[in-house]
Amino acid sequence: MKKNVLFFFFVILFPLVAYSSGNDAVANSAAVVEEGDVRFTVLTPRVIRMEWDSLHRFTDERSFIVINRNLPVPEFKKIIKGGKLTIRTDELELTYKLNTGKFSKKNLEIKYLNKKRAFTWNPSVTQKQNLKGTARTLDRMDGTTFIKRNEPRHELQLEDGILSRDGWTLIDDSSGLLFDNSDFSWVKERENRTVQDWYFMAYGSDYKAALKDFTLFAGKVPLPPRFVFGYWWSRYWAYSDNEMRDVVSQFEKFNIPLDVLVVDMDWHETDSFRQTGQMGTT
């Protein structure tokens, strides 16, 4: 029996990787193209950030999704001709009609230049072949769970993921929370909620390159510590102190290794506690 049992309190935590020091969220000025109320940042040959802000107050803070924009500047060309701005890398070509406001199918177009998987995208195009990510929560699942096929059993709704057979992904960070620049970074809402803050990824069928690019600006996924792969005891229950001690003693009695002991929601004051003076049950 391990003596240093971890009591794990479930609270809403912010990604620790987002507390990295320095100004990595500020892109190299050589990668930035700003014209009036739009700003484009070439992050990689396959990824470009697109911002529209009528107040010209573009965002350089870290967000829940994006923590690093200070990347090596890829080669690209900027051309302004006939009222159009064109940005071209080895992988994609973006065209925007200047002074036409918010991004739409009428003023914004991106071409993927790979001859084997060439395509043209604009904001009216929707993904049809997303390879999906994971489920937000399994709280309401009871018993065997299936991804929807032909029968309406316990249907599991998967969220869209980064990869798609369409060959592109648009990440809309327009309403995402930001981190402030205090010594201990904390979240804040955007001052202007009418902005557009998009990240367009063009990768064709090169999914490995897409995942690599994503980790460059979103951060790498940390390796989980070893203890999380061990035995977890978790029951949604308003434990008394004696009940919790009894749980631990049973593990010791039967010599069962215990890595994580979860004290769920009722370790803190609840509504029922305030009403009755006792811990509320769940």
Side-chain angles (χ1 to χ4, degrees):
M1 176 69 182
K2 294 183 178 180
K3 299 300 181 182
N4 56 337
V5 176
L6 172 67
F7 286 77
F8 192 89
F9 290 79
F10 275 122
V11 294
I12 299 175
L13 298 177
F14 305 123
L16 295 181
V17 69
Y19 297 122
S20 58
S21 60
N23 294 318
D24 289 341
V26 181
N28 189 314
S29 59
V32 177
V33 177
E34 183 175 337
E35 295 290 337
D37 56 5
V38 294
R39 184 173 74 166
F40 301 96
T41 305
V42 184
L43 297 174
T44 80
R46 294 171 294 270
V47 180
I48 189 164
R49 183 190 190 192
M50 305 176 290
E51 297 173 272
W52 172 86
D53 187 338
S54 61
L55 302 177
H56 304 184
R57 298 175 182 173
F58 302 108
T59 299
D60 285 325
E61 290 117 331
R62 295 160 291 174
S63 75
F64 254 29
I65 299 175
V66 179
I67 64 169
N68 183 23
R69 306 184 189 97
N70 187 17
L71 302 173
V73 181
E75 292 187 8
F76 69 94
K77 293 181 180 180
K78 165 193 168 184
I79 302 172
I80 296 179
K81 184 177 180 180
K84 293 183 179 180
L85 167 66
T86 299
I87 298 174
R88 183 185 178 108
T89 73
D90 292 338
E91 300 283 344
L92 57 80
E93 180 180 275
L94 177 149
T95 302
Y96 173 75
K97 295 180 181 178
L98 295 171
N99 304 312
T100 56
K102 281 190 172 184
F103 301 134
S104 70
K105 66 178 181 180
K106 296 181 180 180
N107 62 17
L108 179 65
E109 179 181 272
I110 296 179
K111 295 180 180 179
Y112 184 50
L113 303 178
N114 187 298
K115 294 181 180 179
K116 294 182 179 180
R117 287 294 308 272
F119 61 78
T120 300
W121 174 90
N122 68 62
S124 70
V125 178
T126 57
Q127 271 191 352
K128 297 180 180 179
Q129 301 182 78
N130 193 283
L131 295 175
K132 299 299 180 180
T134 186
R136 171 73 61 179
T137 175
L138 299 176
D139 288 351
R140 297 187 179 183
M141 297 299 171
D142 184 11
T144 303
T145 301
F146 300 86
I147 297 175
K148 185 177 181 180
R149 292 291 185 266
N150 298 319
E151 300 179 21
R153 292 183 282 184
H154 295 87
E155 181 182 339
L156 178 62
Q157 296 288 349
L158 297 180
E159 297 181 350
D160 284 349
I162 297 298
L163 305 180
S164 174
R165 290 194 178 97
D166 298 86
W168 59 269
T169 294
L170 178 69
I171 300 173
D172 186 353
D173 202 18
S174 305
S175 58
L177 294 173
L178 303 174
F179 286 95
D180 64 25
N181 294 315
S182 61
D183 292 338
F184 184 79
S185 297
W186 201 248
V187 290
K188 66 175 185 178
E189 294 184 346
R190 294 174 183 259
E191 294 180 4
N192 186 356
R193 300 187 183 184
T194 64
V195 302
Q196 289 175 303
D197 192 354
W198 296 352
Y199 294 79
F200 186 83
M201 305 175 62
Y203 46 82
S205 57
D206 194 347
Y207 301 142
K208 187 175 182 179
L211 292 175
K212 177 184 178 182
D213 283 352
F214 182 74
T215 62
L216 291 178
F217 63 83
K220 295 182 178 180
V221 179
L223 183 68
R226 289 187 62 184
F227 71 80
V228 303
F229 297 102
Y231 190 95
W232 287 54
W233 172 268
S234 176
R235 184 188 181 193
Y236 196 15
W237 184 256
Y239 287 102
S240 69
D241 55 346
N242 288 329
E243 285 178 313
M244 186 59 70
R245 290 189 177 96
D246 184 61
V247 169
V248 175
S249 67
Q250 290 298 310
F251 276 91
E252 292 178 334
K253 177 181 179 180
F254 293 101
N255 196 29
I256 300 174
L258 178 60
D259 290 88
V260 180
L261 182 62
V262 179
V263 181
D264 220 304
M265 300 303 294
D266 288 299
W267 59 268
H268 56 73
E269 185 177 292
T270 63
D271 290 337
S272 58
F273 176 81
R274 284 190 287 268
Q275 293 169 3
T276 65
Q278 298 178 350
M279 278 292 194
T281 58
T282 58

